[in-house]
């Protein structure tokens, strides 16, 4: 090619190859600046173009005598030290190398041709060395003022800058930007990943320069080991890059095998090309993880929206029928008012649905106006169509809020995913090293067999990793197949790359479980917040009405004084509401200042909008406290779920083993029948596992149908892969049940705690007032001494408050020291803030003791609860079968009507079942609406799963 001919070379026509214009240079894709005459055909330039092969008419033939045939090059080049000439030894490159040197195109290379190739290679190498020195700060470098120590967006390698520019220029309707990797392949890059790619490649280049101590364009084993010992940045890059062979070089015993894998041409050095091949592999793994994360996030978001939409509409329809007591398919004002007195579910939905018109139905003074707005045909009632229309608007608002909340929590969820990824990969690397006892960098069958027989830590990882192939390594009859599945190149050993591919598959399962957990947590948090909001806002409305004795829709100073001194319900709400100004209203000398803060229009009274603004601020603070509490408990929850998951999966595998009597790693009809009939562990596991199809294996009449549902490939048996798929679904159901129960118990504990806190703070303020005889707003030493000597109620409070310094006020010898501890501002007296701070510190100790006691009682009750649940659900199944007269596995309207009229056992069960909607089946006028609520698939009948779903709240 013309570009390959060095200047001064004699040409066949007698002329000499001219030199390029003085100073002419070209910038390669990796940022290297080289003389124009050193550019070779096929190389990529910084602007993204590729130097073309010269067309036939541009081929320059060099004159001179032919000296050797192509085959002789191998013998000569083996001893040379030039990486460019060594490419002729690579089978994939030899043809190109020979073509470039054989300028007469005769299949042979003459002496002049050889000299020209050597000279061109030398010039190129010198230019590369100069460019490398520039990057390390040994010479001028116009693109990196930091001397190669990193880059900012406006200060980087031209090739990397080109990537960033491509990202900025990219539009949704255009193809993704591309780069050429070390293998010469053009790969597309998601614009979202470009900044990461640019910085990753820059860090890789920087690490190479730090390692290549002699600056010869390659790294020896000695250079790499020295850099690992002395350069923290090299160690950090190798550990975090994502290429397992590079990571294993940090282990001294594994270094030789890992170095040999990267040194592809076995010349004793890792060239920049070899380094970049390893970097490309690491980059590919990292980008695949990013793509998986985005796909998971999108799928989870879409699933969350769909589930929320379905649940919201179902709840809205249920609320409609709860209000519509006469079954007319329309709601009157009287029905709405009556439902607000008796139906908590209605009040909660209206308070949290997100639509102001529906929310105002809770307010007796606003209900007529809201009804008029919703009642589009002005017939005085809300029809089902009008209800659905306003619910759809509410749903749109709720979905907007849901997506905004999801966007806010994405950063925290990504951090969780990254932490799990790093922890899992570190464990996977550790397990590989534990199995690879000969430090060869590969795992043999013998090493694997020894590991699974003798090392519990390895067994635990393989069992719980999430990759079925890993799990099958634990079964002697499946080990050969599992090893073959891992050994993708069929060389009889598992390489680091093959291990990593299996680990990545396992990691996807782990991250899928985390995503399900995050989705579960978000749904539970949202439900908990909505319940809290409904209760808090209902209490706030009630307190406003209790204070507003003249029904003027505003609160006067005297009304506030009377209520905050005499009404215990008002006091309890205010003391624990979370708004400082509302709390200050409980202190007479602060009431006016607090009133001024809340009274935005300066009218001297607090009207309803001003009250609602103060309540909203209080609510936000309480919700923040709620989230902080959940965050503090998250790690303990994660560990508990992790322990349950291990136990559940181990039990599932044991049950499979017990069922698989012929050890075929598949389960047939007879094995299920035998296992269910004769093995209590099998029966108990299936009953409680959480997967409806696995549970139906216990029912002879439904066994074939259940097997068909589980047998996804239609083979007639349940293979281990199909079993594992069903178990994974069951696991998610059980974890969801555990999370719901955990949230329920904590909500109950929180209510008890808040109730106690309110009572203690109210009593604390009363005691403060008893001690403050001069009504000065502070407690002097003499006032405290008088109070503890004369007032039994003060003494009783101090004894039981839980604060050692408050209790010490009862002891004359300790009183002075206690006062110093309580009087935090050193004023010599105790003001209300200092008093309450001491009381709250004592309260915290009492609450902690209560929590520990409650945990002990809950553990003791768990077994009893489990037994009760099993008995209750067994009875529920019997009741279903009693009602199902035609044994169709569905309950019709007529069957239910007949059963609730004539079957005493059915009547007694429904009365005590705990589910209000099921109890409505006993009320003829409400039976039809109760059926509508239970019939979630709208087929006019209640199947077994709908029956069980209705019972969950009852349990």
């Amino acid at each position: 090619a013309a570009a390959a001919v060095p200047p001064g070379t004699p040409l066949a026509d007698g002329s000499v190859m001219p030199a390029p214009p003085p100073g002419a240079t070209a910038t390669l894709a990796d940022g290297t600046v080289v003389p124009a005459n050193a550019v070779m055909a096929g190389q990529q330039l910084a602007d993204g173009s590729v130097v073309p092969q010269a067309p036939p008419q541009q081929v320059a033939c060099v004159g001179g005598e032919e000296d050797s045939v192509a085959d002789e090059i191998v013998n000569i080049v083996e001893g040379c030290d030039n990486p460019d000439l060594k490419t002729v030894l690579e089978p994939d490159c030899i043809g190109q190398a020979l073509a470039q040197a054989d300028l007469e195109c005769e299949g042979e290379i003459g002496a002049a041709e050889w000299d020209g190739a050597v000279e061109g290679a030398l010039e190129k190498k010198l230019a590369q060395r100069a460019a490398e020195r520039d990057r390390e700060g040994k010479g001028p470098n116009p693109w990196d003022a930091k001397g190669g120590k990193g880059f900012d967006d406006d200060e980087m390698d031209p090739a990397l800058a080109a990537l960033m520019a491509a990202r900025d220029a990219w539009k949704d309707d255009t193809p993704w930007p591309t780069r050429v990797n070390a293998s010469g392949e053009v790969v597309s890059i998601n614009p979202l990943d470009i900044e990461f790619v640019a910085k990753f490649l820059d860090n890789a280049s920087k690490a190479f320069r730090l390692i290549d101590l002699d600056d010869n364009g390659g790294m020896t084993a000695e250079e790499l080991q020295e850099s690992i010992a002395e350069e923290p940045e090299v160690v950090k890059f190798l550990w975090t890059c994502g290429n397992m062979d590079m990571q294993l070089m940090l282990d001294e015993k594994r270094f030789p095998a890992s170095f040999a894998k990267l040194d592809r041409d076995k010349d004793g050095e890792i060239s920049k090309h070899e380094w970049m091949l390893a970097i490309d592999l690491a980059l590919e793994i990292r980008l695949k993880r990013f793509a998986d994360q985005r796909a998971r996030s999108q799928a989870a978001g879409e699933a969350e929206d769909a589930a929320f939409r379905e649940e919201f509409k179902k709840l809205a329809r249920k609320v409609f029928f709860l209000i519509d007591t006469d079954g007319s398919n329309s709601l009157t004002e009287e029905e709405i008012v009556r439902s607000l007195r008796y139906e908590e579910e209605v009040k909660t939905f209206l308070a949290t649905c997100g639509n102001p018109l529906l929310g105002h139905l809770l307010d007796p003074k606003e209900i007529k106006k809201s009804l008029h707005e919703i009642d589009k045909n002005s017939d005085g009632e809300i029809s089902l169509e009008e209800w659905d229309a306003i619910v759809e608007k509410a749903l749109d608002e709720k979905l907007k809020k849901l997506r905004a909340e999801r966007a806010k929590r994405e950063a925290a969820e990504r951090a969780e995913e990254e932490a799990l990824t790093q922890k899992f990969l570190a464990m996977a690397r550790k397990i590989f090293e534990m199995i690879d006892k000969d430090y060869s960098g590969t795992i043999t069958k013998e090493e694997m067999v020894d590991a699974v027989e003798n090392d519990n830590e390895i067994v635990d990882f393989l069992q719980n990793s999430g990759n079925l192939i890993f799990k099958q390594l634990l079964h002697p009859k499946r080990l050969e197949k599992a090893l073959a599945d891992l050994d993708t190149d069929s060389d009889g050993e598992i390489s680091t790359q093959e291990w990593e591919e299996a680990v990545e598959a396992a990691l996807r399962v782990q991250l899928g479980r985390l995503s399900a957990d995050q989705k579960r947590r978000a749904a539970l948090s949202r439900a908990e917040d909505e319940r809290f909001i409904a209760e808090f806002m209902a209490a706030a409305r009630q307190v406003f009405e209790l204070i507003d004795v003249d029904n003027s829709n505003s609160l006067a100073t005297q009304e506030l004084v009377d209520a905050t001194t005499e009404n215990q319900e008002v006091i309890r709400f205010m003391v624990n509401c979370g708004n400082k100004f509302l709390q200050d209203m409980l202190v007479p000398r602060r009431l006016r200042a607090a009133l001024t803060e809340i009274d935005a229009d300066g009218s001297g009274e607090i009207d309803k909008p001003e009250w609602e603004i103060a309540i909203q601020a209080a609510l936000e603070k309480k919700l923040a406290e709620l989230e902080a509490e959940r965050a503090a408990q998250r790690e303990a929850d994660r560990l508990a779920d992790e322990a349950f998951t291990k136990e559940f999966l181990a039990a599932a595998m044991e049950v499979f083993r017990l069922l698989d009597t012929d050890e075929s790693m598949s389960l047939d009809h007879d094995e299920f029948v035998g296992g269910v009939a004769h093995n209590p562990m099998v029966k108990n596991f299936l009953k409680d596992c959480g997967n409806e199809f696995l549970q139906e294996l216990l029912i002879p009449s439904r066994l074939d149908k259940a097997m068909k549902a589980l047998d996804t490939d239609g083979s007639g048996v349940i293979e281990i892969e199909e079993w594992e798929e069903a178990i994974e679904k069951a696991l998610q159901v059980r974890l969801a049940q555990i999370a719901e129960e955990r949230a329920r118990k904590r909500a109950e504990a929180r209510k008890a705690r808040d109730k106690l806190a309110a009572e203690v703070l109210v009593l604390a303020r009363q005691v403060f007032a008893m001690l403050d005889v001069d009504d000065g707003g502070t407690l002097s030493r003499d006032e405290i001494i008088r109070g503890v000597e004369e007032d039994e109620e003060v003494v009783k409070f101090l004894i039981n408050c839980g604060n050692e310094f408050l209790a010490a006020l009862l002891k004359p010898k300790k009183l002075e020291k206690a006062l110093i501890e309580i009087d935090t501002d050193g004023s010599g007296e105790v003001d209300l803030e200092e008093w309450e701070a001491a009381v709250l510190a004592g309260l915290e100790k009492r609450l902690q003791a209560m929590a520990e006691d409650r945990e002990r009682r809950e553990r003791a009750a768990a077994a009893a609860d489990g037994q009760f649940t099993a008995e209750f659900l067994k009875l529920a199944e019997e009741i279903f079968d009693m009602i199902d007269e035609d044994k169709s596995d569905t309950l019709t309207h007529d069957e239910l009507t007949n059963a609730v009229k004539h079957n005493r056992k059915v009547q007694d069960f429904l009365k005590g079942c705990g589910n209000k909607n099921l109890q409505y089946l006993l009320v003829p006028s409400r039976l039809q609406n109760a059926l509508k609520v239970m019939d979630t698939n709208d087929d006019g009948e209640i199947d077994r799963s709908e029956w069980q779903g209705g019972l969950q709240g009852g349990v």
Side-chain angles (χ1 to χ4, degrees):
V5 182
T9 303
L11 304 181
D13 61 359
S15 64
V16 175
M17 187 71 180
T25 61
T27 304
L28 303 182
D30 64 358
T32 304
V33 180
V34 299
N37 65 317
V39 179
M40 307 298 285
Q43 287 184 305
Q44 188 186 25
L45 302 181
D47 63 0
S49 64
V50 177
V51 178
Q53 297 286 346
Q57 66 269 26
Q58 289 183 324
V59 171
C61 294
V62 180
E65 187 175 342
E66 290 141 8
D67 198 37
S68 62
V69 295
D71 290 344
E72 292 177 343
I73 295 177
V74 174
N75 297 324
I76 299 170
V77 172
E78 275 181 340
C80 91
D81 222 10
N82 189 312
D84 292 306
L85 291 179
K86 282 187 179 182
T87 58
V88 299
L89 298 180
E90 299 179 25
D92 294 341
C93 301
I94 190 167
Q96 179 184 349
L98 289 174
Q100 288 176 342
D102 177 22
L103 300 176
E104 289 187 343
C105 308
E106 294 181 354
E108 297 181 345
I109 300 176
E113 291 172 323
W114 178 260
D115 290 343
V118 170
E119 177 125 2
L122 179 60
E123 288 185 18
K124 181 180 177 184
K125 193 64 186 171
L126 289 172
Q128 288 173 339
R129 287 164 63 88
E132 293 292 339
R133 280 196 297 273
D134 285 346
R135 287 192 191 177
E136 293 183 10
K138 299 174 182 176
N141 191 337
W143 62 271
D144 189 354
K146 300 177 184 177
K149 300 302 180 185
F151 65 84
D152 298 322
D153 283 355
D154 59 348
E155 184 179 61
M156 64 177 75
D157 183 311
L160 304 185
L163 275 178
M164 300 296 283
R167 178 200 65 179
D168 297 337
W170 180 80
K171 293 182 173 57
D172 286 343
D173 57 348
T174 59
W176 284 356
T178 61
R179 65 176 281 263
V180 178
N181 64 18
S183 300
E185 301 166 335
V186 178
V187 292
S188 298
I189 308 173
N190 188 317
L192 297 173
D193 295 331
I194 283 180
E195 185 168 359
F196 170 81
V197 171
K199 292 186 177 180
F200 186 82
L201 293 175
D202 182 70
N203 288 335
S205 180
K206 177 183 175 184
F208 186 91
R209 295 193 299 272
L210 288 171
I211 298 168
D212 182 19
L213 300 175
D214 63 4
D215 194 29
N216 71 341
M219 60 177 76
T220 63
E222 292 75 18
E223 287 176 323
L224 189 47
Q225 288 172 322
E226 186 176 340
S227 296
I228 289 171
E230 298 180 3
E231 293 284 358
E233 290 186 60
V234 170
V235 174
K236 180 181 178 182
F237 179 78
L238 292 175
W239 180 248
T240 60
C241 69
N243 183 313
M244 191 170 175
D245 286 322
M246 297 173 81
Q247 291 162 337
L248 291 178
M249 287 197 291
L250 297 173
D251 184 335
E252 188 176 347
K253 293 179 180 178
R254 300 181 186 280
F255 181 92
S258 298
F259 186 91
K261 286 186 181 180
L262 267 63
D263 179 20
R264 298 187 178 214
D265 62 8
K266 309 306 177 191
D267 67 347
E269 290 190 349
I270 299 173
S271 67
K272 190 162 189 179
H273 178 69
E274 291 166 333
W275 174 260
M276 288 309 298
L277 287 172
I279 293 300
D280 280 339
L281 177 61
L283 186 58
E284 182 182 346
I285 292 170
R286 299 290 293 274
L287 294 181
K288 179 67 168 62
R289 283 188 206 141
F290 293 161
D292 288 344
Q293 190 276 331
R294 278 192 287 269
R296 273 194 314 274
S297 180
Q298 182 178 350
E302 290 171 356
E304 186 178 33
D305 285 356
F308 183 85
R309 179 181 289 277
E310 181 183 355
E311 187 65 27
F312 188 85
K313 285 191 167 185
K314 187 164 76 172
L315 179 58
R317 186 61 65 94
K318 179 180 179 181
V319 166
F320 182 91
F321 290 127
L322 287 173
I323 300 172
D324 180 26
T325 52
D326 64 3
S328 64
N329 267 8
S330 64
L331 311 180
T332 64
E333 181 179 343
E334 292 73 19
E335 285 178 321
I336 293 171
V337 171
R338 185 167 57 249
S339 71
L340 294 177
R341 284 201 297 269
Y342 302 113
E343 298 287 357
E344 283 299 322
E345 207 164 359
V346 172
K347 288 194 286 187
T348 300
F349 177 79
L350 295 177
T352 61
C353 69
N355 185 281
L357 292 176
L358 290 173
H360 286 157
L361 294 175
L362 294 164
D363 189 339
K365 296 171 184 175
E366 299 283 345
I367 189 169
K368 288 186 183 295
K369 182 179 177 183
S370 284
L371 274 171
H372 178 72
E373 291 286 341
I374 298 169
D375 178 21
K376 297 300 182 184
N377 64 4
S378 302
D379 65 353
E381 298 184 352
I382 300 175
S383 67
L384 184 57
E385 291 77 15
E386 290 167 336
W387 175 263
D388 285 344
I390 196 69
V391 163
E392 194 63 39
K393 290 182 179 178
L395 177 59
D396 288 342
E397 290 302 314
K398 294 290 281 186
L399 284 173
K400 286 179 186 175
K401 185 177 178 183
L402 177 66
R403 288 161 189 157
E405 289 172 355
R406 190 159 61 233
K408 280 200 309 189
R409 69 174 191 261
E410 273 181 0
E413 289 180 352
R414 279 197 300 272
E416 272 189 295
E417 289 186 2
E418 183 61 24
L420 171 64
T421 298
Q422 294 306 320
K423 180 180 177 183
F424 186 79
L425 293 178
M427 177 55 72
R429 283 190 292 270
K430 178 183 176 184
I431 296 299
F432 183 94
E433 293 173 8
M434 291 169 70
I435 300 172
D436 178 27
K437 287 193 161 57
D438 64 0
Y439 306 105
S440 64
T442 60
I443 295 174
T444 63
K445 176 184 175 182
E446 291 73 21
E447 287 175 325
M448 184 64 76
V449 169
D450 180 65
V452 299
E453 287 180 352
N454 299 304
D455 198 309
N456 290 334
E457 189 173 6
I458 292 171
V459 171
D460 185 60
F461 175 82
L462 297 176
Q463 171 71 35
N464 297 294
S465 68
N467 187 326
L468 183 58
I469 298 175
F470 280 158
K471 194 178 290 190
Q472 290 177 354
L473 292 167
L474 303 174
H475 299 274
K477 291 198 172 183
R478 302 284 284 190
L479 189 136
E480 290 285 353
K481 182 180 183 305
L483 285 171
D485 289 339
L486 291 171
D487 181 20
T488 54
D489 63 6
S490 303
D491 66 351
E493 297 183 339
I494 301 168
S495 67
T496 51
Q497 189 168 346
E498 290 165 337
W499 175 262
E500 277 195 299
E501 288 170 1
V503 167
E504 287 293 326
L507 177 60
R508 284 193 287 275
V509 174
Q510 295 287 332
L511 290 172
R513 288 176 185 168
L514 176 60
S515 179
D517 178 52
Q518 290 170 336
K519 180 182 172 185
R520 211 165 33 239
R521 285 201 316 253
L524 286 172
S525 297
R526 187 168 56 250
E528 186 176 35
D529 285 351
E530 291 193 346
R531 281 194 300 272
F532 181 84
I533 290 167
E535 293 169 3
F536 188 84
M537 296 303 287
R541 279 192 297 271
Q542 187 174 3
V543 166
F544 186 91
E545 290 168 7
L546 289 171
I547 301 172
D548 183 24
V549 291
D550 63 1
N551 290 320
S552 64
N553 241 17
S554 65
L555 310 180
T557 303
Q558 193 56 48
E559 287 177 321
L560 285 164
V561 170
D562 294 343
T564 55
T565 54
E566 298 170 5
N567 192 309
Q568 290 302 307
E569 195 167 344
V570 171
I571 294 170
R572 276 195 298 272
F573 176 80
M574 302 276 258
V575 79
N576 208 27
C577 70
N579 184 307
K580 182 181 182 302
F581 300 122
L582 291 174
Q583 291 168 332
D584 281 350
M585 288 183 176
L586 297 170
V587 184
R589 65 189 184 88
R590 295 182 188 168
L591 190 146
R592 291 193 180 280
L595 179 62
T596 301
E597 290 291 339
I598 298 172
D599 178 23
D601 62 7
S603 65
E605 298 188 348
I606 299 175
D607 60 27
K608 203 153 198 177
E610 291 168 337
W611 173 261
E612 287 177 352
I613 290 170
I615 290 299
Q616 190 61 39
L619 177 60
E620 287 174 6
K621 183 178 178 183
K622 297 294 282 186
L623 289 174
E625 290 172 357
L626 198 58
E627 177 54 32
E629 184 180 321
R630 286 193 291 255
Q633 295 160 340
R634 202 158 286 154
E635 179 62 13
D637 293 347
R638 185 191 67 77
L639 292 173
D641 287 349
E642 192 175 276
F644 175 83
T645 297
K646 285 185 178 182
E647 183 181 336
F648 185 85
L649 294 177
M653 188 52 67
E654 178 63 13
V655 166
F656 186 92
R657 188 187 66 76
L658 292 170
L659 288 170
D660 185 24
T661 53
D662 62 2
E663 298 186 352
S664 64
M665 299 306 286
S666 63
L667 308 176
D668 59 28
H669 181 281
D670 293 342
E671 285 176 322
F672 275 120
V673 171
V676 168
H678 304 298
N679 198 306
M681 181 181 178
V682 171
K683 192 170 182 178
N684 290 333
F685 177 82
L686 293 176
K687 178 167 60 70
D688 298 328
C689 70
N691 183 306
E692 61 177 310
F693 297 121
L694 290 174
Q695 290 168 331
E696 288 177 353
L697 295 170
L698 297 168
I699 306 169
S701 64
R702 297 181 73 87
L703 190 147
D704 288 334
K705 183 179 177 182
M707 280 195 68
K708 188 175 180 181
L710 295 168
D711 178 22
T712 53
D713 66 2
S715 64
V717 295
I718 311 302
E719 291 158 343
I720 182 67
E721 293 83 0
E722 293 164 333
W723 173 265
E724 287 290 320
E725 186 179 345
I727 290 300
E728 188 65 33
K729 291 177 182 176
L731 173 62
Q732 295 308 318
V733 171
R734 292 291 291 118
L735 288 172
Q737 291 170 349
I738 290 169
E740 287 171 8
E741 179 64 9
R742 189 186 288 146
R744 183 187 66 78
K745 288 180 178 178
R746 284 177 180 164
E748 289 176 358
R750 194 179 302 110
K751 280 185 180 179
R753 183 193 65 199
D754 288 348
K755 183 173 182 291
L756 175 63
E759 290 171 355
V760 169
L761 287 172
V762 168
L763 183 56
R765 292 191 175 214
Q766 291 172 350
V767 170
F768 186 91
M770 292 176 192
L771 292 170
D772 185 19
V773 291
D774 64 2
D775 201 24
T778 59
L779 306 181
S780 65
R781 179 178 179 280
D782 293 340
E783 284 176 322
I784 292 172
I785 291 173
R786 186 207 62 77
V788 299
E789 287 177 351
E790 300 176 5
D791 199 315
E792 289 184 11
E793 202 165 338
V794 170
V795 173
K796 184 179 177 182
F797 175 80
L798 293 176
I799 289 173
N800 295 309
C801 69
N803 183 298
E804 60 178 311
F805 300 118
L806 288 174
L809 296 175
L810 297 169
K811 301 175 182 178
K813 291 182 179 179
K814 295 185 177 181
L815 187 142
E816 295 295 340
K817 183 180 179 182
L819 278 175
I820 291 171
E821 293 291 339
I822 299 168
D823 177 24
T824 53
D825 66 3
S827 66
E829 297 191 340
V830 178
D831 61 27
L832 186 60
E833 281 94 344
E834 292 167 334
W835 176 260
E836 287 191 341
V839 169
L840 287 172
L843 176 62
E844 193 60 39
K845 289 183 180 179
R846 291 180 63 187
L847 291 173
Q848 182 62 35
M850 283 175 60
E852 291 170 359
D853 179 60
R854 183 170 55 253
E855 190 175 335
R856 281 193 297 272
R857 285 187 283 108
E858 284 175 356
R859 281 199 300 269
D865 286 350
Q867 183 179 352
F868 170 80
T869 299
E871 292 171 358
F872 181 88
L873 292 177
K874 181 181 177 183
L875 178 58
E877 286 296 308
E878 292 175 6
I879 296 298
F880 184 95
D881 292 335
M882 286 179 189
I883 301 172
D884 182 25
E885 295 174 357
D886 62 2
K887 305 305 175 189
S888 63
D889 254 354
T890 60
L891 309 181
T892 64
H893 179 280
D894 291 343
E895 285 175 327
L896 281 162
T897 302
N898 185 53
V900 298
K901 278 183 180 179
H902 304 297
N903 192 315
R904 184 61 181 269
K905 196 167 184 180
V906 172
Q907 293 169 1
D908 290 344
F909 176 79
L910 293 176
K911 284 177 185 176
C913 71
N915 183 299
K916 187 172 286 188
N917 195 63
L918 283 173
Q919 291 165 343
Y920 285 156
L921 295 172
L922 297 167
V923 183
S925 63
R926 307 203 72 163
L927 187 144
Q928 189 61 43
N929 277 352
L931 281 174
K932 287 181 182 178
V933 171
M934 292 180 67
D935 182 20
T936 54
N937 63 3
D938 293 324
D939 65 353
E941 298 182 346
I942 310 302
D943 62 30
R944 199 174 290 268
S945 64
E946 290 169 334
W947 174 259
Q948 290 170 344
L951 286 167
Q952 287 306 312
V955 174

